[in-house]
Amino acid sequence: MCFRDLVILISTFVVFCSFAFAQTQPNDTDKDKKTETEKENKQKELDDRVLQILNQSTGDAATLRLPENRAIVFAISGDLYWKFDEKRSRELFRNAAAEILIFNQDVEKEKRDNTDPYFEMFDSNDVRGQILPLIAAHDAELALDLLIQTRPVRLAEAMMKAAQPNAKSQSNFMGFDLDRQRVQQEIALEQRFALLAADENPEQAIKMIKESLSKGVSYNVLPLLQKLNKKDEKKAADLAGEVVKKFVDTDLTKNQQDMQVALNFLRYAVPADTLSNSSDAKTSSDTKMKPFKFSDSQVKDLANKIADTLQQPSKSLSLTMMMTQAIPLLDKIVPERTAALKQREAENQSNLPSEYKNVQRQMKFRDASYTPEDIIAQLPKLQSEMDKSMAYQSLNMKISQIDDDTRAKKLIDQIPDEKARANAQNTYDSARISRTAALGKFDDAHRMIDTLTKKGARVQKLVALAIQIQKKGTEKEIETAKGLMKEARSLTTDSPEDEDELNDLMEVVKGYAVVEPDIAFRMFEPMVDQINDFVYATAILSKYNKRNRTFKKGELVMKINGYNGDSMLLFRYMTQMQMLGKADLERMSVLADRFGRIDSRTLVKLFIVQGFMKDDKKPDNSTGTSSGIVIFNN
C-alpha cells in the first residue's frame, strides 16, 4: 500500500469514528427536552397528589356533623379545584350553598330554643361571609346568585324593613343595632361582588349597583365608581349622582351606619392635603390616570345633608363622635355651617354621661388628625387606667410611623411612665428595622435587631430578615440567611414552658420552612402531638361552657379566614403548616395524618394544600391571594 492510500484510509477511519461518536453524544436540545419532561412528570405527580387530597377531603365532609363545616370543606376544595376543573369547582360551590341553607335552618331553631339573651352576641360564626367571597374570587355572578339563594329569612325581612322610607333603627345610646348592622354587611357584600363582576361586564355591574342602591349604600360603591371612571367618566358621574341622591333622600338620623358611609364618602371627596400640612399628602397629579371625583355640586349636596343631620339634637354617642370627624371636612366645603355645628357639638358633649365621654376621648386618640404631640399633652390629665392604656397604644402606633429619628426620640423621652416609654421605644425600633430592611440595608437592620430588649421581638425580626435575604437567592445571601436563623433558634427552647416560648419556637419554624425546610420539619414534628392534645382538651372543656363557640355538638367549628387572635393552637399556627406544605407537600401531609380528630385532620389537609398552591410571585387581592386562596398571617 502506498503512502497516499494509507493517508486516505486513516482519514476515512477518523471521520467515521468522529461521526459515530457524535451520534452517541446527547446534544443540548436533547438535554433540555429531557429536563423539561422530568419537570412535567414531577408536576403531574404533585397535581395528582393535590387532587387525591382534595377528593379525600370532600369525601370526609360527609362524616362531619355540622353543615357549616361541610360547607367550608366544599368551599375550600372548590377554590383549590379551580385550577384543574372549573366545572367541578362550581359543583362544589353549589354543594357549599346547599349546606349553608341547612345551617340557616339550624341557626333559626337554636335561636328559638336558646334562652340566653346574649346568644346572638356570642354566636358570631358568619359562614356565608367566609364562603361567598371565596366563590366571588372565581365567579362573581355565581356568588351573587348564591348570596340571594342562601340569604336567611330573618335577614331578608330586615332588608325589606330597612328599605322602607324613614325606617326606624332599633339602636341604643351607642348607636348599635344588630339587625341594621347585618343588613349593612349584606349590602356591602352584594356591592362588593358587583364590583368584581365589573371587570367582565361593566353594564351588568352598574345595573346590580343600581338595584343594590334601593336597599342602601355601602362603602364598596366607591371602588366601583373609581373603576367605572377609568372606562366611562360620564357613567361614573351619573352613578355618583344617584349615590348622593340616595343619601339626601335618607333620614340619616335614624340610620347611623348610612351616616358613617356618607361621612366616609365626604372624607374621600376632600383631598387629604387640604386637611394637613404634611409633605406626604398625595394629590391627584401623583397618578397617571385621572382619578374619580364627585362634582362640586354633589360634594356640596352631601356636605349639607351631613350638616343637617348633625344639627339635629341627639343623645347618640356615635353621632357626637361623627360630628367631631365631620367639622374639619365641612369647614372646607360649607364653612358657613360649622359655627352652628360646633355649638351643637358642645351641647351634645355636655349631655353625655361621663362614661361615654371617656369612650369618646379614647376613640379620639386614634383619630388620624390627632398627633403624637397632642396625645402626650393629654397624658397628665388622664385619670383612668383604661384611658391611659388607649392613649399609650395609639401613641406607640403613631410614633412607629415616624421616619424622623430626632422627632421620635424627643417624643419617646417625654413619655412619663417608664414601662410605657420602654414599650414605645421597642415598637419604634421594630418599625425602624422593617423600614431599614425594606431599603436593602440588611447589615444595618441586623445591628439594630441586637439592640432590641424583648426576646420575642428579636426572634421575630431575625426570622423576617432571614426570609427577606433568602429571597435574594445568591449563595452568599443564602448562607447569611442560615446564620440569622441559627441566631434566632439560639434564643428559643425546644421544650417551651409557656405561651411566649411556644410562639417564639413556632416563629423560628416559620423561618426555617423557607430557609432550611428539613430543620423546620424536625422542629415541628414534636409539636403535632402537643397541638393534637390541645384540641382534644379544648373539646372536653367546651362542653361545660355554653358560650364557647370553638366547638359545637362536639365538633371543631371550622374557619376559612385567618388567625384573628384565636386561642386555638390549630388555627394559630396554621401559617407554619401552610409554609411547610409549600416546602414539601407529601411530608406535611403525613404529619397531618397524625391529627386524631376527623375535623382537625380534614381542615389541616386543606390548608396545607392552600400553602402548597400559593403563588408567591402574584399580588394579593381582597380575598386572600391571587387565586382566591386564603393564607393565614399571624
Side-chain angles (χ1 to χ4, degrees), residues 402-449:
I402 297 173
D403 56 10
D404 182 342
D405 291 348
T406 302
R407 182 188 172 202
K409 184 179 185 305
K410 181 179 179 181
L411 288 166
I412 293 171
D413 288 344
Q414 293 179 63
I415 297 176
D417 183 85
E418 183 178 354
K419 184 177 179 180
R421 187 165 59 250
N423 286 336
Q425 185 66 58
N426 275 313
T427 303
Y428 178 75
D429 289 342
S430 180
R432 184 166 169 253
I433 290 167
S434 298
R435 288 193 293 268
T436 302
L439 294 173
K441 300 177 181 179
F442 300 132
D443 291 338
D444 290 344
H446 190 191
R447 283 191 290 271
M448 292 177 190
I449 292 173

Side-chain angles (χ1 to χ4, degrees), residues 60-72:
D60 289 342
T63 67
L64 298 173
R65 298 188 189 95
L66 302 178
E68 59 265 45
N69 281 351
R70 296 194 294 269
I72 282 178

Side-chain angles (χ1 to χ4, degrees), residues 445-462:
H446 190 191
R447 283 191 290 271
M448 292 177 190
I449 292 173
D450 290 336
T451 66
L452 295 177
T453 58
K454 292 185 176 181
K455 186 177 69 172
R458 290 181 62 193
V459 170
Q460 187 180 46
K461 289 301 176 183
L462 284 168

Side-chain angles (χ1 to χ4, degrees), residues 26 96 259 304 510:
M259 175 65 178
N304 278 317
K510 184 198 297 184

Side-chain angles (χ1 to χ4, degrees), residues 153-402:
V153 174
R154 181 176 172 182
L155 177 57
E157 292 173 350
M159 292 181 72
M160 291 179 62
K161 182 179 178 181
Q164 295 174 1
N166 298 324
K168 293 183 179 181
S169 172
Q170 301 299 317
S171 59
N172 55 22
F173 188 90
M174 293 291 290
F176 181 76
D177 180 342
L178 187 59
D179 282 344
R180 173 70 70 175
Q181 183 185 51
R182 287 172 175 167
V183 167
Q184 290 295 320
Q185 290 172 345
E186 187 76 359
I187 293 170
L189 206 58
E190 186 173 339
Q191 293 175 348
R192 175 181 170 189
F193 296 164
L195 174 62
L196 290 172
D199 288 329
E200 300 297 329
N201 192 341
E203 292 298 329
Q204 181 66 16
I206 292 173
K207 179 183 176 183
M208 293 174 182
I209 286 294
K210 287 184 176 181
E211 292 174 353
S212 186
L213 284 177
S214 65
K215 306 163 191 171
V217 183
S218 83
Y219 195 69
N220 284 317
V221 170
L222 187 54
L224 178 65
L225 293 173
Q226 294 168 324
K227 184 170 290 190
L228 286 179
N229 189 70
K230 296 177 182 178
K231 299 179 180 181
D232 192 320
E233 292 182 20
K234 186 177 184 307
K235 288 181 180 178
D238 291 344
L239 188 56
E242 293 188 38
V243 171
V244 172
K245 186 176 185 302
K246 178 67 177 180
F247 284 126
V248 171
D249 292 343
T250 301
D251 186 350
L252 297 179
T253 61
K254 298 177 181 178
N255 191 336
Q256 294 175 16
Q257 289 173 325
D258 281 354
M259 175 65 178
Q260 184 63 64
V261 175
L263 186 57
N264 287 340
F265 275 54
L266 188 65
R267 186 178 289 112
Y268 170 83
V270 179
D273 56 331
T274 66
L275 299 173
S276 170
N277 294 324
S278 170
S279 59
D280 295 332
K282 294 183 179 180
T283 64
S284 59
S285 62
D286 294 330
T287 58
K288 295 180 180 180
M289 189 172 293
K290 184 179 178 181
F292 166 77
K293 290 179 63 177
F294 288 100
S295 69
D296 291 344
S297 62
Q298 289 170 349
V299 173
K300 195 158 187 175
D301 286 347
L302 184 60
N304 278 317
K305 177 63 179 182
I306 290 174
D308 290 341
T309 302
L310 295 175
Q311 191 64 49
Q312 301 300 314
S314 173
K315 294 183 179 181
S316 167
L317 173 64
S318 57
L319 277 179
T320 301
M321 295 177 67
M322 287 183 206
M323 184 177 293
T324 303
Q325 301 171 37
I327 287 175
L329 301 170
L330 297 173
D331 202 38
K332 299 295 180 181
I333 306 166
V334 284
E336 68 277 7
R337 304 290 304 271
T338 54
L341 286 173
K342 289 176 182 178
Q343 183 177 352
R344 173 64 67 188
E345 181 185 28
E347 294 172 1
N348 289 350
Q349 290 281 0
S350 63
N351 293 328
L352 287 176
S354 59
E355 60 267 28
Y356 293 114
K357 291 180 180 179
N358 293 339
V359 173
Q360 185 182 35
R361 182 168 55 250
Q362 292 164 13
M363 295 297 292
K364 189 174 182 180
F365 293 143
R366 298 183 179 183
D367 193 280
S369 63
Y370 216 58
T371 68
E373 287 82 0
D374 293 333
I375 297 176
I376 288 177
Q378 290 294 319
L379 288 175
K381 305 175 186 177
L382 303 180
Q383 301 297 321
S384 75
E385 291 301 317
M386 179 63 73
D387 283 355
K388 292 178 182 178
S389 176
M390 292 289 291
Y392 283 129
Q393 287 179 25
S394 181
L395 184 61
N396 285 0
M397 180 192 69
K398 290 175 182 290
I399 291 178
S400 69
Q401 296 169 351
I402 297 173

Side-chain angles (χ1 to χ4, degrees), residues 427-557:
T427 303
Y428 178 75
D429 289 342
S430 180
R432 184 166 169 253
I433 290 167
S434 298
R435 288 193 293 268
T436 302
L439 294 173
K441 300 177 181 179
F442 300 132
D443 291 338
D444 290 344
H446 190 191
R447 283 191 290 271
M448 292 177 190
I449 292 173
D450 290 336
T451 66
L452 295 177
T453 58
K454 292 185 176 181
K455 186 177 69 172
R458 290 181 62 193
V459 170
Q460 187 180 46
K461 289 301 176 183
L462 284 168
V463 168
L465 186 60
I467 292 174
Q468 193 170 353
I469 293 175
Q470 167 81 13
K471 290 180 180 179
K472 295 293 182 180
T474 68
E475 184 176 343
K476 179 181 178 181
E477 286 163 333
I478 290 173
E479 288 303 313
T480 300
K482 290 179 179 179
L484 290 169
M485 287 307 307
K486 286 180 181 178
E487 186 178 342
R489 189 178 184 183
S490 70
L491 298 172
T492 67
T493 174
D494 291 336
S495 301
E497 296 292 332
D498 57 34
E499 184 179 11
D500 290 339
E501 290 185 356
L502 178 60
N503 287 337
D504 289 346
L505 179 66
M506 295 304 291
E507 189 72 18
V508 173
V509 170
K510 184 198 297 184
Y512 270 124
V514 176
V515 177
E516 291 185 89
D518 189 59
I519 296 177
F521 275 104
R522 291 203 302 269
M523 293 178 67
F524 181 71
E525 284 180 18
M527 303 308 302
V528 173
D529 292 333
Q530 293 188 39
I531 296 174
N532 215 9
D533 291 343
F534 185 91
V535 173
Y536 276 112
T538 307
I540 294 172
L541 292 173
S542 70
K543 293 180 181 180
Y544 307 102
N545 184 355
K546 289 184 178 181
R547 290 184 177 177
N548 186 320
R549 311 305 293 180
T550 306
F551 285 82
K552 184 178 176 182
K553 297 181 181 178
E555 190 169 274
L556 175 71
V557 176

